[in-house]
C-alpha cells in the first residue's frame, strides 16, 4: 500500500501566515511602545532601582518574539515567490524590506537592548549609579529611529500582502 499525501501549500496559506505574523508583530510593537512603556514612565516605575532588569526582561522576551515574527514574514514571502512563482513589481522590494526588518530586529535584540540595559543597570549596590544622560539619550533616539523604520517597513509589507491577497482571492 502506498500512501499519498494530499497536502499542498497553497498561496493563501503562506500569505495568511505572513499577514498574521506581521499584524501580530506590529500590533505588539505599538502596544509595547505606545501604551505599556509610557504607562510605566507616567507611573514613575522607570526611576525604581529594579526597573533596568525588569525592562531588560520585557524587551528581551519581546525582541525574541519579534525575531520569530520577522523570520515568519520573510519565510512566507520567499515561499510565495518560490512555490507559487508570484509575479508582481512588489516582490523584490518586499524581500528586501523583510530582510531589512529581520536585520533591524536582530540589531535591537542583540545590540541595542543589552546596551541600553547595561547603561542603567546597577551592578555594584554599594556605589551610586553612574549614568551618562547624553549616551542614554543618544541610544534611545537610535531605538526610536529603528522603531519608526520597523513600523514603516512593516506597514508597507502589510499593505502589499493584503492587496495581493485580495487579488488572489478574486481570481
Amino acid at each position: 500500500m502506498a500512501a499519498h499525501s494530499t497536502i499542498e501549500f497553497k498561496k493563501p496559506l503562506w500569505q495568511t501566515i505572513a499577514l498574521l505574523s506581521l499584524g501580530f508583530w506590529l500590533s505588539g510593537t505599538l502596544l509595547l511602545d505606545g501604551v505599556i512603556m509610557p504607562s510605566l514612565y507616567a507611573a514613575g516605575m522607570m526611576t525604581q532601582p529594579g526597573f533596568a532588569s525588569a525592562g531588560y526582561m520585557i524587551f528581551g522576551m519581546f525582541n525574541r518574539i519579534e525575531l520569530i515574527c520577522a523570520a515568519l514574514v520573510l519565510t512566507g514571502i520567499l515561499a510565495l515567490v518560490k512555490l507559487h512563482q508570484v509575479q508582481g513589481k512588489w516582490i523584490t522590494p518586499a524581500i528586501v524590506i523583510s530582510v531589512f526588518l529581520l536585520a533591524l530586529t536582530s540589531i535591537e535584540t542583540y545590540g541595542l537592548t543589552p546596551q541600553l540595559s547595561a547603561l542603567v543597570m546597577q551592578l555594584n549596590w554599594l556605589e551610586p549609579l553612574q549614568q551618562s544622560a547624553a549616551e542614554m539619550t543618544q541610544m534611545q533616539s537610535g531605538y526610536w529611529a529603528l522603531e519608526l523604520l520597523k513600523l514603516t517597513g512593516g506597514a508597507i509589507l502589510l499593505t502589499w500582502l493584503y492587496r495581493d491577497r485580495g487579488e488572489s482571492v478574486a481570481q
Side-chain angles (χ1 to χ4, degrees):
M1 288 205 136
H4 295 284
S5 175
T6 59
I7 296 174
E8 181 179 330
F9 293 106
K10 297 180 181 175
K11 181 177 175 183
L13 175 68
W14 285 107
Q15 282 179 315
T16 303
I17 290 170
L19 278 169
L20 288 176
S21 299
L22 200 51
F24 174 74
W25 180 15
L26 294 179
S27 64
T29 298
L30 289 173
L31 181 68
L32 185 67
D33 292 339
V35 176
I36 294 173
M37 292 310 291
S39 298
L40 292 176
Y41 182 75
M45 299 214 30
M46 291 191 178
T47 59
Q48 300 298 318
F51 182 76
S53 59
Y56 181 73
M57 290 292 293
I58 291 170
F59 278 100
M61 290 184 351
F62 184 72
N63 285 342
R64 278 147 182 94
I65 292 170
E66 283 185 310
L67 279 173
I68 293 169
C69 290
L72 281 172
V73 169
L74 178 60
T75 302
I77 290 172
L78 291 175
L80 284 172
V81 172
K82 182 67 176 168
L83 296 175
H84 305 289
Q85 286 79 34
V86 174
Q87 300 295 323
K89 60 184 176 184
W90 66 272
I91 292 297
T92 303
I95 293 171
V96 170
I97 290 173
S98 60
V99 168
F100 180 69
L101 289 175
L102 184 61
L104 279 180
T105 306
S106 297
I107 290 169
E108 284 183 351
T109 302
Y110 300 116
L112 199 56
T113 300
Q115 287 296 324
L116 277 168
S117 297
L119 279 177
V120 295
M121 198 169 291
Q122 186 171 355
L123 298 177
N124 188 354
W125 294 345
L126 300 176
E127 294 180 18
L129 183 62
Q130 302 291 327
Q131 182 174 332
S132 171
E135 195 174 359
M136 178 62 98
T137 303
Q138 181 183 10
M139 292 191 80
Q140 286 179 340
S141 298
Y143 170 79
W144 285 108
L146 290 177
E147 287 296 302
L148 286 175
L149 285 172
K150 184 177 16 172
L151 289 171
T152 303
I156 291 168
L157 274 180
L158 194 64
T159 303
W160 287 341
L161 284 167
Y162 186 75
R163 189 176 303 147
D164 189 60
R165 179 161 172 77
E167 291 171 4
S168 67
V169 169
Q171 292 176 351

